[in-house]
Amino acid sequence: MPAAVPQTITEAAKATLAPLSKFRGRHYLTDQDYAREELLELLQLAVKLKALWRDKGLTPFLPGRTLAMIFEHPSTRTRVSFEAGMTELGGHAQYLRPGEIHLPGRESIKDTSIVLSRLTDAIMARTAYHSSLVELAEWATVPVVNGLTDDYDHPIQSLTDALTIWETAGSFERLKLAFLGKVSDAMASSVALTCSRLGIDVVMAGPADHQMAPEMKQLVRANGEQSGATLTLTDDPVEAVAGADFIYTVLWWWLEEGEEREALRRTYRPFQVNEELWAQAKPGARFMDCLPAVRGEEATDEIMDGPMSLCFDQSENRKHLQKAVLLALIGSDRLPHDPDLQEIGRALLA
Ligand code: CP
């Protein structure tokens, strides 16, 4: 009988990895495509890779392999963490921005996908529309990884956040996460989907007329039926943070200007994470923000730079989690010579 998937991070660090070849060749478009146990297996691999990174730095499981990175929109964390992660795995990542390739507009998504599949070993894409990512994946013969679709989700960030929560709390049992502010955002959807899949209770606190989309609520509730997680919607930030172990927020505005920006600031201002709100939070609660932030808007500096903040751990963990996802999806055909790499190498072959 196969060993049970570790539920705590301590068990995960010690336990032998389950076979990983079942991940090979799959896409990572949303974590809804992965069973809870599979997400835990990817998280366990990330824990092992992070420990190896601390001991050795480089873990060349993917020599000569290339990741194509398509960015329709700018990025700091996603670009740098995928690129640094591929370097540490012994491979290479190519940054492809609009104007440097023929997407969008001058070549079809289909042809781009077929060509990149012939030339590289995986594709990561950040697109405006989730439908573009799905079309890319439809034609790709190599794994496609979601690096944020503006109109749907950001699962590689929210699975990274799960790693950060696991490191902080030790397990996913009896945890509550409150998401404050822009609960209609792709990041809010992703956090709710990932947490509910893993069994973390979710509270979404936003203005009454800017709540989570009905279809997203349905998915989160369906996840909860499997994992036991609950979903609560509220327009009261104080009610939301009461008893929460993790308090998460994201940008209210980014490129908007003038009255449009001012309207967003007025809408979300009651949900700002500041010291006054924090005084209502559970002792020991931790603050999360996937960044980038507009300092002094969705959260004040006292919170973002305070001892409760996990936001820079979240950024660093992007690299460790993404190395796990890339390694599992790209796979390997050979056992590394380095004995320190052989546990993971064996799991990749099994
Ligand atoms: N959190 C995140 O995806 O950051 P970037 O936009 O900098 O990639």
Side-chain angles (χ1 to χ4, degrees), residues 26-35 38-39 130 197:
R26 287 171 67 177
H27 300 309
Y28 188 76
L29 307 185
T30 161
D31 57 20
Q32 293 296 102
D33 296 337
Y34 288 76
E38 292 179 324
L39 295 179
H130 196 72
R197 226 157 164 74

Side-chain angles (χ1 to χ4, degrees), residues 33-47:
D33 296 337
Y34 288 76
R36 179 177 187 273
E37 288 66 30
E38 292 179 324
L39 295 179
L40 287 169
E41 285 169 4
L42 292 172
L43 289 168
Q44 187 190 7
L45 179 57
V47 169

Side-chain angles (χ1 to χ4, degrees), residues 74-79 126 154 157 290-292 318:
S75 160
T76 299
R77 278 142 292 272
T78 304
R79 176 186 177 176
R126 167 168 287 191
H154 195 359
Q157 175 71 59
C290 68
L291 303 178
R318 288 290 299 273

